[in-house]
Amino acid sequence: MPEAVRVNELTRKFGDFTAVDRVSFVVERGEIFGFLGPNGAGKTTTIKMLTGLLRPTSGSARVAGFDVGREIDQVKLNIGYMSQLFSLYHDLTVLENIQLFAGLYGVGNDRFADRRDWVLEMAQLAGHQDRLTGELPLGVKQRLALGCAVLHEPPILFLDEPTSGVDPISRRNFWDLIYGFAASGTTVFVSTHYMEEAEYCHRVAVMNRGRIIALDRPRSLKAAIQEPVLEVTTAAAPRALEVLRDAPGVIEVTMFGRAVHAMVEDQAAAERQIPEILAAAGHSVESIRPIEPSLEDVFVSFVHRSGGTLAE
Amino acid sequence: MNPTRLWAIARKEAIQLRRDPRSLIMAFLLPVALLLFFGYAISYDVNNIEMAVVDESGSERSRALVHAFESSGYFDIVEYPARYADVDDLLQRAKVRVVMVIPPRFDRELAAGRDAAVQLLLDGSDANTATIAQNYAAAIVIRYSSDVLLHARRFVLPVEAETRVWYNETLESRNMIVPGLVAVIMSIIAAMLTALTIAREWERGTMEQLAATPVHRLDVVIGKLLPYVGIGLFDVALAIVAGLLIFGVPLRGNILLLAGLTLLFLLGALSFGMFISAAVKSQVLATQVAIQTTYLPAILLSGFIFSISTMPIALRAVTYAVPARYYVTVTKGIFLKGVGPEVLWVEALAMIIFAAAGLTLAIRSFRKELE
Amino acid sequence: MSAISPLRVRRLLRKELRQMFRDPRMKRIVFIAPVIQLVAFGYAVNTDIRDTKTFVIDHDRSAASRELLEVVEATGYFRIAGRSERPADLVRALDYGKAEVGIEIPAGFSRDLASGRGARLQVILDGTNSNTATVAQGYLTYIVQGFARGRAAAAGALPSGGVDARVRAWYNPDLESRVYNVPGVIGMLILLMSLLLTSMSVVREREMGTLDQLTVSPLSAAELMLGKTLPATLVAFIDLFLVTALAILWFHVPMRGSFLDLLPAALLYILCGLAFGLLISSVSRTQQEAFMTMFLVLLPAIILSGFFYPISSMPEIFQWITVLNPVRHFLEIVRAIFLKGAGIADLWVQYAALTVMATGAMSLAIVRFRRSMAM
C-alpha cells in the first residue's frame, strides 16, 4: 500500500505571488499530520491543491495513491474535507444535510441508516435531526460538518483549521474525535494556527511564507531547537517586550501569559544583560529562568534559522 | 453523470426552494400575476384619442364631418377652441393629440361642387399614436368624402381595396399581446430563477464543500436545473390556462407541440442563467449581467413589440441570439396561426441549439476548482 | 440620531465606490453596457412601417395591375417579397412569416377598371402583429384611393367636390418613431441602472454579516443611506450624460429644449430609482429575494410607463396606477424637452410628481433602513 499523501515540489502562484513554494513531504497512513503556521503561510492553499479545489502551478501530489491532477475523481472518493468556514447548508435540516452528502458520496441505502445514526450520535444531535442547521451552535455545526465529511468513511481526512472560532472545550472534544479517527486507521491531515493543537499531532510541518521550514515529531522539533529560551517575569510584560525586542543578543521575544519568552543567542550573557536592560528602562525583573521551548518558540526559531520573517 | 448524485443535488435544491416561501411564491405566481395585470392593462388599440376641433365653417356639413369623427369611437373631442391660435397651446401642453381645422369656406366649396380641404394637425412627439390616429382620421375623411361624392353624384370610385385580417380577425391587440407576453415574461423569469444559484453557493462557502466531494459538475448543473424546469413548466401551464380562460385568446395549434417547445426554451433560458451564475461567481455581478442580457433584449429585441424586419441588418443579426425571439414566434404561431412543426421546425432547431449551447456553457464555466 | 458627519460619510463613500469597482467587470457593466444598449435598442425601437414584406398574387397580369403594384412599392412602405399564381402560396407565405401583407388582384381587374364598373382587389393582413396590421391597412387604403383618383382624373371622370385631409404632424414632421422612442429608452436604461446599483447593497451586507458591523459603528442611518446613495447617483448621472450625448449625436434626436431643464428631472428620477432600490434591499432577507423583487417592480414600471402602450388606451384604473409610476412622468418630461422644447413651466405637474415620489420613497427607504439596521 502506498503512503496516504506524497507531495513533490508542489507550487502554486497567484499572479506574482507565490503562495506555496516547492513543497515536498510524505504523510504515512494512519498518521495525524499537522500543518502549523500563521495565516497566509500557504497551509490552506496546499490543502486545496490536495483536495482538487485548486490546480497546482507546478509539481505533483498523490493522495491515496492517485494523482491530484489526472485522477482527481478517484482522489475525491478517498478523502473527506472540511473547510475552515462552516459550509453546510444553513437552510437544510441536520438530516437533510446528512442525506445530501450521503447521496454525493454514494453511501448506499444499506449503509445509510447506520452512518446517519453514527453522525447524529457523534455530533450529539440525536433527536435534533429536524432542526435547521443554521440554528445550531458553532461547535455543534462543526461536529456535524465533520460527520458529513466522513459519511463515506474515507481513509484520508483533510481538516483545514477545523477549530477556528470554536470555544476551548469544544476544541478539546473535537480533538478527541480526531484521535478516534486516527485510532481506527484514518489518516488525518489537519492545519491549525493554534500552537498547542500541533502538540496533539504525530508529526508537524511548520510552514511560513509558502515553504515548509521544519517537519518532524513535536518532541523532536523541540529537541532540535538550539537557541536557549528564557522566561522573564516582570510587572509590565507588554512594555518589557517592547524594550527587549531591540536588545542586543535577543533573537525574538513573545508574550506568554504574564511572562515574556526571549529566545537568545547566549544564555549566560542574556541572563546577565536582560535585567540590566530592563532596569535601565525602569522595569524590575521578578524572575528569569531557562525553560523548555514551546512549539511557538520552535516556530520562531525555525523562522529565524531559515533567515526569513514571519508572514503577517 | 451519476443518477444518485444528480438526485441528491436536485432534492437539496428543491428543499432549499421550499424553505424560502417568499421566493417560492414569486417563482410560482409572478408570471401569471404579471400576465393578468398586463393582459388587462395594455392594448395597442388606439381609442379615445383626445381631439380638438376648430370649426370655422360652422355649417351643417362641417357638423356632419365632426359627428363622423365622434361616432367612430376612435376620437374623443374634448376641446372646441374658437381661434386657431389656441391650437398651439393645446398641443404643447399635450391636452389633445389631434386637431382638425375646418376652414370657413368649407361649406361654400362643397355646395359649389368644388374640392374642399380640412387640416389635420397631429402631435408627432408620440409617433406611434400619431400614425394610427392619422390613419383613422384619413379613413373617416375619405368615407365622408365618398359619401358626399357618391350620394350626390352617383360616382363609383374606380378601384376599391377589400381588406381582410388573418389570424386575429378583429385586430384585437390582446390576442396578439397575450401569447407574446407569456414568452417575454418567461424569458425574464427563467434567467431570474437560476442566475444566482451557483454564485450564491460560492459566496456562502457551500460550493467549496460540494466541490470536495466526488460529485461531477454535470450532476451539479443538471441537478440544480431540474427543480427550476419543473417550476417553469408549471408557470407556462398556468399562464396558458389564464390566457385561454380569462382573456379568451384562441389556441389554434397543438398544445403538445407548445409544451415540447416550451421545455426546449426553458432548458436554454435556465441554463443560460446558470451559465451567468457559474461564470461570474458573485451575486451582485450576476444580477447585473442577468438583467442587462435578458430584460430589455427580451422586451425590445424579441419581436414582441418592435417588428424585427424593420431593424437594421446588424441588429437583426443580434436578434438571432435572443432566445425570446424564437419563443415569441412559437407562442404566436401556435396560438394565433395554428401552425405546426412544418413551420416551426426552424425555431425548434434554434431552441435546441440554444439549450445545447446554454448547457454546455453552464457546465464548461462551472469549475469546481477555485480561481 | 446624531448629525451627519462629513468625514464619516466621505469614508463610507470611498468604501462603497471601492467595493463597487473592485471587480473590473463591474466598471464595464456600469458604463459600457448602457451605451451598447442605447445603440442597439435605439435601432430596435422603430415602429415605422417600411419595406413591409408583401406577397402578391396577380391573376390579371395586365398593365393596370402592374402599375398599381408599382405605385404600392414606390411608396417605400411595402416591398414585394414574393409572387405566385396560386392562392395557396399566399397562405404559406403568411403562415411561415415570409410576408406580413398579401395582395390578390383578381382576373378581370383591368377590364373592370376600364369599364368603369369599379375594380376590386383583396388585401390580406397578418393580424398577429396588430399594430403593424392597422398601420399597413391604413397606408394601403390610402395608396389605392390615390391610385383610383389618379386613374379617374386621367380618364376625365373625376368629379370634384370631395374632401381632402391635409395632414401635418408637429414636433416630428416625418412621424419618425425613433425620435420619439429613443428618449424613452434613455428613461428605461437610467431606471434599470439606478435600481441595480442599490437594490443589492443593504441585503448584501446583511447576508455577509457586515451590516451588524456598520450598525454598531457610530454611523447613523441617514449617513449610511447617503454613503450608499451618493456614489450610485454619481454613476447614474455619468450614464445619463453618456446616453443623452449618444441620442443626440448618433440618433440625431433633436434637443429643442434646454439640458438645464432636464437635469433636475433626471436627479429626481435617479433618486426615485435609487430609493426604490434601497427599499427593496432593506425589506429583502437574501440577495435572491431582492433580485426577484426588482424583477417584479421593473416590468410594470416599464410596461405602464406609456413607452410602448398609450396610457389613454388603458382601462381607467390602470391609468390611475400609472400616475404612481415615476417612469411615466420622466418620459413625459424627456419627450417634451427633447421634441417640443418645453421647459419647467410647462411641465411643473410632472416635476412636482417626481419630487413627491422621490421624497416619499427616500423617506420610506430611510425608515425601513433604520428598522432593518435594528433587525
Side-chain angles (χ1 to χ4, degrees):
Chain A
M1 286 291 256
E3 316 84 359
V5 179
R6 172 173 283 276
V7 173
N8 190 19
E9 296 278 303
L10 200 63
T11 301
R12 171 71 201 202
K13 293 183 178 163
F14 295 99
D16 291 337
F17 172 66
T18 306
V20 175
D21 191 7
R22 286 167 293 148
V23 161
S24 302
F25 59 88
V26 171
V27 180
E28 298 299 336
R29 303 176 69 83
E31 216 181 350
I32 301 181
F33 186 87
F35 239 28
L36 182 66
N39 290 330
K43 303 178 309 250
T44 298
T45 308
T46 307
I47 290 184
K48 284 188 171 158
M49 285 193 279
L50 295 180
T51 50
L53 292 170
L54 272 179
R55 214 172 266 280
T57 307
S58 65
S60 66
R62 299 184 81 81
V63 173
F66 299 105
D67 187 282
V68 294
R70 294 188 307 273
E71 299 162 305
I72 190 64
D73 289 344
Q74 291 299 315
V75 170
K76 284 181 179 172
L77 281 172
N78 285 287
I79 60 166
Y81 167 74
M82 188 183 150
S83 73
Q84 60 192 86
L85 287 169
F86 175 75
S87 48
L88 294 183
Y89 292 89
H90 284 209
D91 47 355
L92 295 190
T93 64
V94 170
L95 180 63
E96 285 160 354
N97 265 308
I98 297 175
Q99 285 169 331
L100 169 65
F101 284 94
L104 296 182
Y105 282 120
V107 176
N109 287 335
D110 47 333
R111 279 202 300 154
F112 177 73
D114 279 351
R115 296 303 295 159
R116 177 198 59 206
D117 294 344
W118 179 85
V119 171
L120 288 174
E121 195 193 333
M122 185 269 275
Q124 295 160 357
L125 278 168
H128 296 286
Q129 58 177 40
D130 292 326
R131 281 181 66 181
L132 279 183
T133 310
E135 300 168 352
L136 303 173
L138 187 61
V140 181
K141 279 188 207 168
Q142 219 70 354
R143 296 168 75 96
L144 177 61
L146 178 64
C148 287
V150 297
L151 271 168
H152 56 308
E153 300 175 271
I156 306 169
L157 189 50
F158 286 91
L159 307 172
D160 187 9
E161 303 202 355
T163 55
S164 60
V166 177
D167 65 89
I169 297 169
S170 304
R171 222 148 80 194
R172 187 61 238 184
N173 290 339
F174 199 85
W175 272 91
D176 287 341
L177 289 174
I178 293 178
Y179 276 128
F181 286 122
S184 58
T186 307
T187 309
V188 181
F189 191 119
V190 57
S191 76
T192 180
H193 60 263
Y194 294 114
M195 300 290 173
E196 75 271 20
E197 285 191 352
E199 312 254 5
Y200 307 145
C201 300
H202 296 142
R203 281 196 306 150
V204 175
V206 182
M207 256 193 126
N208 190 42
R209 297 185 161 262
R211 310 219 51 173
I212 291 183
I213 54 179
L215 197 171
D216 212 330
R217 293 182 303 166
R219 189 177 300 273
S220 313
L221 284 175
K222 288 185 207 169
I225 194 165
Q226 290 153 342
E227 296 86 351
V229 176
L230 298 175
E231 185 190 64
V232 183
T233 323
T234 163
R239 260 168 288 157
L241 182 89
E242 291 301 315
V243 176
L244 290 178
R245 180 162 285 159
D246 301 319
V250 175
I251 297 163
E252 186 69 55
V253 278
T254 42
M255 285 289 295
F256 234 88
R258 285 190 51 248
V260 174
H261 284 194
M263 185 178 290
V264 295
E265 280 161 4
D266 177 0
Q267 185 186 334
E271 270 181 288
R272 223 179 29 249
Q273 285 167 354
I274 287 179
E276 286 169 18
I277 295 169
L278 285 177
H283 305 293
S284 63
V285 172
E286 289 164 14
S287 74
I288 178 162
R289 61 186 183 97
I291 50 160
E292 194 196 332
S294 69
L295 265 181
E296 188 152 357
D297 299 318
V298 170
F299 180 72
V300 171
S301 162
F302 278 105
V303 168
H304 175 66
R305 211 180 295 172
S306 64
T309 48
L310 244 66
E312 48 81 62
Chain B
M1 203 155 44
N2 172 315
T4 321
R5 291 186 189 131
L6 192 144
W7 183 245
I9 296 276
R11 183 166 177 274
K12 176 222 97 177
E13 201 70 25
I15 294 172
Q16 283 188 300
L17 264 168
R18 209 180 57 206
R19 289 277 143 75
D20 185 359
R22 280 211 242 177
S23 300
L24 194 66
I25 288 173
M26 277 202 247
F28 275 116
L29 297 182
L30 200 53
V32 77
L34 289 175
L35 183 73
L36 288 180
F37 191 66
F38 297 133
Y40 278 117
I42 58 184
S43 123
Y44 280 122
D45 309 333
V46 177
N47 45 37
N48 301 325
I49 304 167
E50 298 91 348
M51 181 177 182
V53 173
V54 185
D55 186 356
E56 292 176 322
S57 163
S59 59
E60 202 177 312
R61 283 195 173 92
S62 71
R63 278 193 292 275
L65 179 60
V66 173
H67 180 73
F69 271 87
E70 239 166 358
S71 57
S72 70
Y74 297 129
F75 296 95
D76 196 0
I77 302 177
V78 291
E79 299 271 353
Y80 289 94
R83 293 172 306 130
Y84 184 78
D86 297 336
V87 167
D88 194 25
D89 187 53
L90 285 173
L91 283 172
Q92 179 80 42
R93 288 189 293 121
K95 288 266 179 214
V96 298
R97 291 170 186 279
V98 184
V99 180
M100 180 164 65
V101 183
I102 306 175
R105 31 172 222 288
F106 180 76
D107 187 55
R108 244 179 300 133
E109 304 281 356
L110 280 185
R114 285 194 298 270
D115 272 353
V118 295
Q119 206 178 26
L120 284 170
L121 303 173
L122 302 166
D123 176 354
S125 70
D126 179 348
N128 292 344
T129 313
T131 308
I132 294 172
Q134 176 189 13
N135 285 319
Y136 289 150
I140 293 168
V141 174
I142 287 168
R143 190 168 314 130
Y144 176 82
S145 172
S146 43
D147 280 352
V148 172
L149 289 171
L150 302 184
H151 291 292
R153 291 163 224 278
R154 300 164 183 279
F155 171 74
V156 182
L157 214 53
V159 187
E160 214 174 314
E162 214 177 83
T163 38
R164 278 192 305 165
V165 179
W166 282 8
Y167 310 128
N168 182 9
E169 290 70 14
T170 49
L171 273 181
E172 175 130 18
S173 61
R174 186 151 294 145
N175 283 349
M176 163 212 152
I177 286 170
V178 168
L181 201 57
V182 172
V184 169
I185 290 176
M186 284 320 293
S187 325
I188 292 173
I189 297 284
M192 177 188 95
L193 287 176
T194 49
L196 297 188
T197 52
I198 292 176
R200 191 175 44 209
E201 294 219 23
W202 281 117
E203 280 185 10
R204 290 185 183 167
T206 49
M207 190 54 87
E208 198 177 309
Q209 200 64 50
L210 279 192
T213 74
V215 70
H216 194 274
R217 55 187 182 181
L218 210 65
D219 302 325
V220 177
V221 170
I222 297 179
K224 274 177 166 289
L225 214 51
L226 285 180
Y228 296 106
V229 172
I231 291 178
L233 284 175
F234 175 86
D235 285 346
V236 177
L238 204 61
I240 289 175
V241 170
L244 294 178
L245 297 185
I246 297 175
F247 294 115
V249 175
L251 177 61
R252 299 194 171 115
N254 186 328
I255 195 160
L256 286 179
L257 180 67
L258 183 59
L261 291 174
T262 299
L263 181 63
L264 275 180
F265 169 74
L266 285 174
L267 276 178
L270 291 167
S271 346
F272 182 71
M274 197 80 83
F275 159 60
I276 294 173
S277 201
V280 304
K281 287 190 179 179
S282 131
Q283 294 190 73
V284 173
L285 207 58
T287 310
Q288 288 269 0
V289 175
I291 290 207
Q292 310 258 17
T293 53
T294 60
Y295 219 101
L296 293 181
I299 296 176
L300 300 178
L301 301 180
S302 62
F304 168 54
I305 295 175
F306 300 103
S307 125
I308 293 174
S309 59
T310 57
M311 294 177 192
I313 187 141
L315 193 61
R316 238 181 297 159
V318 173
T319 65
Y320 285 105
V322 178
R325 172 204 166 126
Y326 304 103
Y327 195 47
V328 166
T329 312
V330 165
T331 51
K332 278 192 188 178
I334 295 181
F335 268 101
L336 301 177
K337 294 189 178 180
V339 290
E342 73 286 351
V343 173
L344 296 174
W345 67 268
V346 189
E347 279 71 25
L349 194 66
M351 291 198 299
I352 288 173
I353 293 171
F354 262 106
L359 266 176
T360 315
L361 278 174
I363 292 165
R364 276 282 174 94
S365 56
F366 175 53
R367 306 226 159 275
K368 278 171 66 190
E369 284 137 24
L370 311 168
E371 287 303 319
Chain C
M1 195 175 77
S2 57
I4 290 171
S5 142
L7 177 73
R8 285 203 292 257
V9 171
R10 206 158 54 226
R11 289 260 164 77
L12 194 65
L13 223 151
R14 194 174 315 151
K15 171 212 141 223
E16 291 286 334
L17 276 173
R18 205 169 285 160
Q19 263 185 333
M20 197 185 288
F21 295 121
R22 197 182 34 211
D23 197 328
R25 294 175 292 184
M26 195 70 180
K27 224 176 290 181
R28 256 174 279 162
I29 287 187
V30 166
F31 294 122
I32 299 181
V35 171
I36 296 176
Q37 288 189 316
L38 186 80
V39 172
F41 300 146
Y43 281 112
V45 289
N46 183 357
T47 41
D48 304 342
I49 306 295
R50 223 161 260 151
D51 290 336
T52 311
K53 287 176 283 182
T54 307
F55 197 88
V56 170
I57 297 180
D58 184 358
H59 294 295
D60 196 49
R61 300 221 272 167
S62 59
S65 70
R66 274 195 299 276
E67 196 190 322
L68 173 66
L69 292 172
E70 273 164 26
V71 171
V72 166
E73 218 177 0
T75 58
Y77 297 132
F78 301 93
R79 182 171 55 80
I80 294 173
R83 292 166 191 270
S84 170
E85 269 136 48
R86 292 179 305 147
D89 291 340
L90 177 59
V91 178
R92 274 174 64 90
L94 263 78
D95 270 353
Y96 284 70
K98 303 252 182 265
E100 287 167 277
V101 176
I103 298 178
E104 191 170 358
I105 301 176
F109 175 80
S110 59
R111 191 186 58 225
D112 290 344
L113 192 63
S115 72
R117 273 203 301 271
R120 298 185 156 271
L121 66 125
Q122 248 192 13
V123 173
I124 292 149
L125 300 155
D126 176 353
T128 56
N129 190 342
S130 58
N131 195 32
T132 314
T134 310
V135 177
Q137 182 179 20
Y139 283 147
L140 261 181
T141 315
Y142 225 41
I143 294 167
V144 173
Q145 290 279 357
F147 175 78
R149 297 188 72 153
R151 277 266 155 175
L158 183 70
S160 48
V163 181
D164 221 7
R166 305 212 174 122
V167 182
R168 270 183 27 206
W170 285 12
Y171 313 123
N172 182 9
D174 303 326
L175 285 181
E176 212 184 319
S177 62
R178 188 167 294 141
V179 164
Y180 163 78
N181 282 329
V182 167
V185 177
I186 294 181
M188 219 99 304
L189 291 178
I190 296 301
L191 173 75
L192 199 67
M193 199 43 80
S194 9
L195 273 179
L196 277 174
L197 284 170
T198 47
S199 59
M200 290 297 193
S201 60
V202 178
V203 67
R204 179 153 166 272
E205 301 223 18
R206 179 177 305 140
E207 242 184 288
M208 293 168 91
T210 48
L211 192 65
D212 294 340
Q213 206 58 49
L214 290 177
T215 314
V216 297
S217 75
L219 279 166
S220 68
E223 282 172 337
L224 251 172
M225 287 301 264
L226 218 57
K228 292 205 175 291
T229 315
L230 279 180
T233 313
L234 196 72
V235 171
F237 250 107
I238 294 177
D239 282 334
L240 179 82
F241 276 107
L242 285 176
V243 293
T244 309
L246 210 61
I248 295 171
L249 299 177
W250 185 281
F251 287 111
H252 304 294
V253 175
M255 178 59 167
R256 301 203 172 100
S258 155
F259 196 72
L260 286 179
D261 287 337
L262 189 61
L263 281 182
L267 180 66
L268 290 170
Y269 181 59
I270 287 171
L271 285 179
C272 273
L274 296 177
F276 275 117
L278 282 172
L279 202 55
I280 293 174
S281 204
S282 301
V283 298
S284 306
R285 285 166 312 173
T286 61
Q287 294 185 63
Q288 168 93 9
E289 226 175 82
F291 184 43
M292 287 184 157
T293 315
M294 182 166 44
F295 263 80
L296 181 66
V297 169
L298 207 48
L299 207 52
I302 292 177
I303 303 258
L304 299 183
S305 65
F307 182 9
F308 314 117
Y309 306 100
I311 291 175
S312 59
S313 304
M314 293 175 189
E316 197 163 342
I317 174 150
F318 287 98
Q319 297 195 26
W320 281 108
I321 293 175
T322 64
V323 173
L324 298 172
N325 185 356
V327 187
R328 172 197 167 153
H329 301 291
F330 185 64
L331 288 195
E332 283 174 359
I333 292 175
V334 173
R335 284 170 175 163
I337 291 181
F338 266 101
L339 301 177
K340 296 188 183 174
I344 294 185
D346 305 295
L347 297 162
W348 69 270
V349 178
Q350 283 84 351
Y351 280 87
L354 279 183
T355 313
V356 169
M357 268 181 258
T359 0
M362 221 15 131
S363 327
L364 205 59
I366 291 182
V367 169
R368 280 302 318 205
F369 192 65
R370 206 175 294 155
R371 201 181 308 163
S372 78
M373 274 173 84
M375 238 150 78

